[in-house]
Amino acid sequence: MSEEMIKRAPETILEVKGIKKKFGETEVLKGIDFSVAKGEVVVIIGSSGSGKTTLLRCLNFLEFSDEGTISVNGEVLYDGLAEQTAKKKLKHNDKLLRVKRLHFGLVFQNFNLFPHKSVINNLTLAPTLQFKSDLRAAKKAEKEKARALKKASSAEEIAAAEAKYAANGKPDYRDVEEIKEKALSTLERVGLLEKKDNYPCELSGGQQQRVAIARALVMNPDILCFDEPTSALDPELTGEVLKVIRELKDSDTTMIVVTHEMEFARDVADKIIFMANGVIEEAGTPEEVFGNPKSEKTKAFLASRNK
Amino acid sequence: MFKALLFDLGSGFLVTCEIFALTLVIAIPLGLIVAFGSMSRFKPLKYFIRGFVWVIRGTPLMLQLLIVCYGPGLIGLFTVTEPMIAVIIAFSINYACYFSEIYRGGIESISRGQYEAGAVLGMSKGQTFFHVILPQVVKRIVPPMSNEIITLVKDTSLANTIAVIEIIRVAKNFTGTYAVNIIIPLLVAGIFYLVFVGLLTLLFGFIEKKMSYYKV
Ligand SMILES: Nc1ncnc2c1ncn2[C@@H]1O[C@H](COP(=O)(O)OP(=O)(O)OP(=O)(O)O)[C@@H](O)[C@H]1O
Ligand SMILES: [Mg+2]
């Protein structure tokens, strides 16, 4: 490998290894390995029941895989085997789970907006709650640090106290206003600024899904996942949602998109993953998978889609 | 004459209101605890609570009232000297059970997607419950809750069976002591109830309207 290539080799942001998941007796994921580079768009295709949704849910810790690891930026976030034997399970640790989940965002097929919150409040609710609890934690840490410093007599003890509480960082935002500004600019990005005070029930399906995308973006996820974002929409409304996803690609958002829209997949993907029966049957560039599929299953699937 | 009648009935009605208010203040939060119990993942607790709710909803409030009032005395524990306390205990437990079923129905009617949306946005279980689930539950349970609460207004009259001097008791006593047609105090007592229920109906209508800023 030449030096040039090493330099250009894109940075891996997500590494998934050996993910297995059973529901009762049925094995839905049978060992999934793939990686995603920073800024890359990976599109997952596959027939119904092949495990696409389950995979995204495992990445977002809505399900916990039985085996396999999930690493983001080189840090192992989750290890299925370790979780199984762990006394203190991640599943039951709200705080830790939050930190891990925030590496990912998930846009659902049926939006799941909060119906009782206006559009802007759908976007600000989670970051505001987070900000407030971070602020509380920071204040508490500050007090404890002051107490520790007062007690400390030697320079080492002072340094130790400084180090101990340095980790309790500050909240992500300056104040609630800043969250609102961020939410407004994100709404503008998906073209819905003028709907900020409307309620979800007053929007079309396509608009609701764009709000859901904006809501996920406000959390600044490292990797944004979409589970069939246009499947619940009337055909004439899919375009506006796909357009938003394309624009996200242009601004280098790392994304994993599960979709049945083959044309869109071909056009937006840097990498295609074809799943069948809980395994990755074939993966490659859109040209490779669509233009020259190797597996018989891929061929059959694509043929059924082109009918 | 009529003034004395109104005054006495009015003081009886205050006792009615007292039973009503205390029962609500206790039963509304207690019902939420019972609802959590009946949805618990810990099976023994869940079945125990569901069995208890079944018994309370399956037997007359009158019977429960008598048991709370005279039960401790009959099995030789202690005598209940203050019937009002027995009333509040029996009513609170009874209504908490009815409310719990309404809460449970409301909570279970919220889709799993709402919890998951909260989770993927990094919200804790508590934050999701109080900021996402509960406000939606409240909207859904206003109509059934208003029915129950209006029933409670009328159920308070059961208290007179264990000698609590609420408005019906006052009206009945009137018929013995005053030289008026015995029907009049009873009718006037009825009007007290009607007015009170009418006001509550207006209040609930107002609340429902306030909550109609979004549709489900
Ligand atoms: N919670 C669950 N309990 C039991 N079985 C489940 C559960 N979730 C998913 N499954 C099963 O796992 C399999 C894979 O489901 P999954 O939803 O991941 O498929 P999919 O590829 O997303 O399909 P689709 O294209 O229809 O969305 C299916 O057979 C499904 O019935
Ligand atoms: Mg799916």
Side-chain angles (χ1 to χ4, degrees):
Chain A
M1 214 187 277
S2 74
E3 225 181 290
E4 180 81 51
M5 277 175 81
I6 293 171
K7 228 185 268 168
R8 275 217 223 114
E11 200 185 323
T12 301
I13 191 162
L14 171 68
E15 176 111 52
V16 173
K17 276 193 198 145
I19 294 284
K20 291 187 182 174
K21 176 72 187 171
K22 267 188 190 168
F23 288 115
E25 285 304 297
T26 45
E27 198 170 21
V28 174
L29 297 177
K30 301 172 185 164
I32 301 285
D33 304 84
F34 70 97
S35 63
V36 180
K38 205 160 187 227
E40 196 175 32
V41 178
V42 173
V43 171
I44 303 179
I45 58 174
S47 50
S48 186
S50 55
K52 307 179 296 294
T53 297
T54 307
L55 176 59
L56 287 191
R57 291 173 60 84
C58 286
L59 292 181
N60 282 274
F61 305 106
L62 292 177
E63 302 288 355
F64 295 86
S65 61
D66 306 323
E67 283 179 44
T69 57
I70 301 170
S71 317
V72 172
N73 289 324
E75 178 201 353
V76 179
L77 288 187
Y78 178 83
D79 180 337
L81 284 177
E83 170 77 0
Q84 278 194 22
T85 51
K87 246 194 236 133
K88 209 167 175 239
K89 293 200 190 299
L90 176 63
K91 237 198 265 216
H92 304 307
N93 187 339
D94 247 16
K95 243 192 197 155
L96 200 56
L97 207 47
R98 178 180 105 178
V99 177
K100 299 191 184 243
R101 272 183 178 142
L102 286 178
H103 287 287
F104 297 89
L106 178 59
V107 174
F108 299 88
Q109 186 172 345
N110 49 354
F111 333 134
N112 288 333
L113 292 177
F114 305 132
H116 60 301
K117 297 276 180 194
S118 63
V119 166
I120 180 81
N121 288 339
N122 260 275
L123 270 63
T124 55
L125 178 65
T128 305
L129 290 173
Q130 189 186 327
F131 171 75
K132 285 183 180 160
S133 81
D134 283 354
L135 203 61
R136 248 176 280 135
K139 269 194 190 139
K140 200 172 148 218
E142 197 66 33
K143 256 190 216 153
E144 276 171 23
K145 185 177 164 185
R147 212 175 306 140
L149 286 179
K150 214 187 256 176
K151 259 201 281 176
S153 46
S154 68
E156 287 102 68
E157 276 175 11
I158 291 177
E162 294 272 7
K164 187 176 170 197
Y165 293 102
N168 288 339
K170 297 209 163 47
D172 292 346
Y173 293 94
R174 222 179 329 111
D175 51 25
V176 181
E177 266 319 294
E178 198 184 348
I179 296 174
K180 198 169 172 200
E181 277 162 32
K182 164 102 187 173
L184 289 173
S185 68
T186 312
L187 270 184
E188 190 162 24
R189 242 173 119 181
V190 300
L192 286 172
L193 191 53
E194 77 278 15
K195 298 286 185 194
K196 67 180 166 55
D197 295 318
N198 286 82
Y199 284 86
C201 62
E202 298 163 344
L203 305 180
S204 73
Q207 291 171 333
Q208 290 190 42
Q209 191 60 298
R210 281 148 67 199
V211 173
I213 294 172
R215 183 175 70 174
L217 284 173
V218 168
M219 304 307 295
N220 288 323
D222 294 319
I223 301 131
L224 184 52
C225 306
F226 295 79
D227 191 8
E228 301 192 29
T230 58
S231 291
L233 299 177
D234 292 338
E236 71 268 22
L237 298 178
T238 59
E240 58 185 87
V241 172
L242 298 181
K243 182 170 160 256
V244 167
I245 300 175
R246 274 198 195 93
E247 284 165 5
L248 290 178
K249 178 189 163 88
D250 294 338
S251 58
D252 283 334
T253 311
T254 312
M255 293 186 276
I256 301 175
V257 186
V258 170
T259 185
H260 287 302
E261 305 266 348
M262 291 303 137
E263 216 171 293
F264 171 71
R266 187 173 200 150
D267 163 55
V268 82
D270 296 306
K271 183 156 95 192
I272 299 277
I273 289 177
F274 170 66
M275 278 180 71
N277 298 321
V279 296
I280 295 183
E281 182 71 21
E282 188 163 349
T285 63
E287 294 74 38
E288 287 166 355
V289 176
F290 287 112
N292 187 17
K294 294 190 179 58
S295 145
E296 286 307 317
K297 279 185 190 161
T298 318
K299 284 179 196 165
F301 173 77
L302 291 175
S304 74
R305 288 283 143 187
N306 286 335
K307 252 183 254 158
Chain B
M1 185 62 236
F2 196 66
K3 236 184 184 172
L5 174 73
L6 276 186
F7 183 80
D8 283 6
L9 285 177
S11 62
F13 193 63
L14 278 185
V15 176
T16 296
C17 290
E18 193 185 337
I19 299 171
F20 174 79
L22 284 174
T23 302
L24 281 189
V25 166
I26 298 171
I28 285 177
L30 185 60
L32 195 57
I33 296 170
V34 176
F36 283 137
S38 71
M39 291 184 290
S40 170
R41 249 173 305 185
F42 182 57
K43 292 261 167 72
L45 177 67
K46 175 171 130 178
Y47 290 122
F48 173 75
I49 297 284
R50 291 206 178 177
F52 182 78
V53 170
W54 176 67
V55 169
I56 295 293
R57 299 210 311 163
T59 55
L61 175 53
M62 168 90 91
L63 180 67
Q64 294 160 19
L65 195 55
L66 292 174
I67 287 177
V68 171
C69 190
Y70 302 120
L74 289 174
I75 57 171
L77 277 177
F78 55 87
T79 354
V80 176
T81 48
E82 185 51 76
M84 187 65 174
I85 291 181
V87 167
I88 299 304
I89 291 174
F91 272 63
S92 297
I93 292 175
N94 183 278
Y95 272 84
C97 287
Y98 276 95
F99 291 166
S100 79
E101 287 294 282
I102 295 177
Y103 296 156
R104 185 161 72 89
I107 291 172
E108 286 176 348
S109 74
I110 306 292
S111 78
R112 204 174 50 142
Q114 291 290 307
Y115 293 91
E116 293 181 347
V120 296
L121 292 169
M123 289 163 68
S124 68
K125 288 195 181 79
Q127 289 173 333
T128 305
F129 183 77
F130 286 106
H131 295 272
V132 175
I133 307 301
L134 199 57
Q136 296 183 58
V137 170
V138 168
K139 178 182 161 95
R140 289 184 195 195
I141 66 174
V142 167
M145 284 295 279
S146 29
N147 276 334
E148 280 309 320
I149 290 172
I150 283 170
T151 305
L152 171 60
V153 175
K154 293 167 287 175
D155 272 356
T156 54
S157 61
L158 289 175
N160 89 73
T161 58
I162 56 166
V164 170
I165 318 293
E166 47 66 73
I167 186 167
I168 295 288
R169 183 77 164 207
V170 174
K172 278 204 290 194
N173 287 349
F174 254 109
T175 59
T177 49
Y178 287 75
V180 287
N181 189 320
I182 55 167
I183 194 74
I184 289 180
L186 291 172
L187 285 181
V188 175
I191 291 171
F192 269 93
Y193 281 106
L194 271 180
V195 171
F196 191 44
V197 168
L199 290 176
L200 281 177
T201 308
L202 287 178
L203 175 69
F204 290 129
F206 174 75
I207 293 175
E208 260 181 66
K209 210 166 161 201
K210 276 217 92 167
M211 299 231 203
S212 62
Y213 62 89
Y214 76 92
K215 289 191 281 298
V216 177

